[in-house]
Amino acid sequence: MAVTPTVANDDDSPFYKIMEEKGKVWEKIAGEVGAKISGSYNANILEFEMTQKVNSHQLSVYGKRELTTVNNRGIFSEVLKLELNAGDIDREKFLKVGGGGFLNIFFNLSGEYRHKAFVDGYKVKYNSASVLEKVIKTKIFEISQVNRLSVGAEGLRLEVREIPVDARHARTIRDFWQIIN
């Protein structure tokens, strides 16, 4: 399967080329590990999903980049989500990242984590310093703005605000699940 165009680029749109480029990078990333990928793009939207078996768990990567018009201006919104459904993660590896807003009051009240730290402007709660070090070494906070990052009883969840077009950054996100090994 592939990330395919829904229409031809008849008007030589630069937006179409950006969507195509991001789709092709993720096709390549999926091909490197034999993951399944499907999706489509045109000048206004790119959407894809990549799935792969990791040990006995299911890894899913979902990406969407969309151009919308607000007040006669084009605005892009992007999201890239990585999920590894794994219910057998050791509690020592649990980690949660949050911002600094009022809505994180519940984040601060949770008693699941033994340690707190601030990393690149993010509040991080964790149980094991070695897991925190692995996260920091991935440089995930430098690649894109992290909307969500948690390692818990349900598995690993990572959501970033931008779909990388650089293959090296895309590999970092694809292989992020390795922090729990």
Side-chain angles (χ1 to χ4, degrees):
M1 293 201 264
V3 181
T4 57
T6 56
V7 296
N9 188 14
D10 294 331
D11 60 353
D12 200 31
S13 166
F15 297 130
Y16 185 99
K17 291 176 182 176
I18 292 167
M19 303 293 199
E20 179 180 43
E21 188 176 342
K22 288 184 181 241
K24 296 300 175 194
V25 165
W26 281 90
E27 250 183 37
K28 178 182 177 182
I29 296 302
E32 291 174 356
V33 292
K36 295 177 185 174
I37 189 166
S38 62
S40 60
Y41 63 91
N42 58 43
N44 297 314
I45 189 168
L46 160 68
E47 190 168 19
F48 65 88
E49 184 168 10
M50 182 182 91
T51 57
Q52 174 187 0
K53 273 289 201 197
V54 173
N55 302 324
S56 62
H57 308 296
Q58 183 71 24
L59 174 70
S60 298
V61 177
Y62 170 79
K64 184 174 184 179
R65 182 175 201 254
E66 187 170 20
L67 175 64
T68 56
T69 304
V70 177
N71 297 330
N72 294 325
R73 297 184 78 179
I75 298 172
F76 278 102
S77 61
E78 280 185 72
V79 68
L80 184 70
K81 298 178 183 180
L82 178 137
E83 294 184 0
L84 179 68
N85 296 322
D88 58 352
I89 298 173
D90 181 10
R91 291 187 72 76
E92 282 297 306
K93 295 180 181 178
F94 283 14
L95 175 133
K96 192 163 198 157
V97 173
F102 174 74
L103 294 176
N104 285 318
I105 190 166
F106 297 109
F107 177 81
N108 292 326
L109 296 176
S110 172
E112 289 184 76
Y113 308 96
R114 291 191 301 260
H115 309 287
K116 295 178 189 174
F118 283 93
V119 178
D120 293 334
Y122 294 93
K123 289 182 184 177
V124 181
K125 287 186 154 192
Y126 60 98
N127 288 333
S128 168
S130 65
V131 173
L132 179 60
E133 287 175 25
K134 283 183 182 180
V135 170
I136 292 169
K137 283 182 184 176
T138 66
K139 299 186 180 194
I140 196 70
F141 299 115
E142 296 173 21
I143 293 172
S144 180
Q145 186 168 355
V146 174
N147 290 339
R148 177 181 180 194
L149 170 55
S150 67
V151 178
E154 72 284 343
L156 182 141
R157 305 284 183 266
L158 171 65
E159 182 179 302
V160 295
R161 193 168 289 166
E162 187 178 342
I163 300 171
V165 71
D166 177 274
R168 186 173 43 94
H169 292 156
R171 283 184 196 97
T172 298
I173 291 173
R174 179 198 64 201
D175 297 338
F176 192 79
W177 63 269
Q178 294 177 4
I179 66 160
I180 60 174
N181 280 347

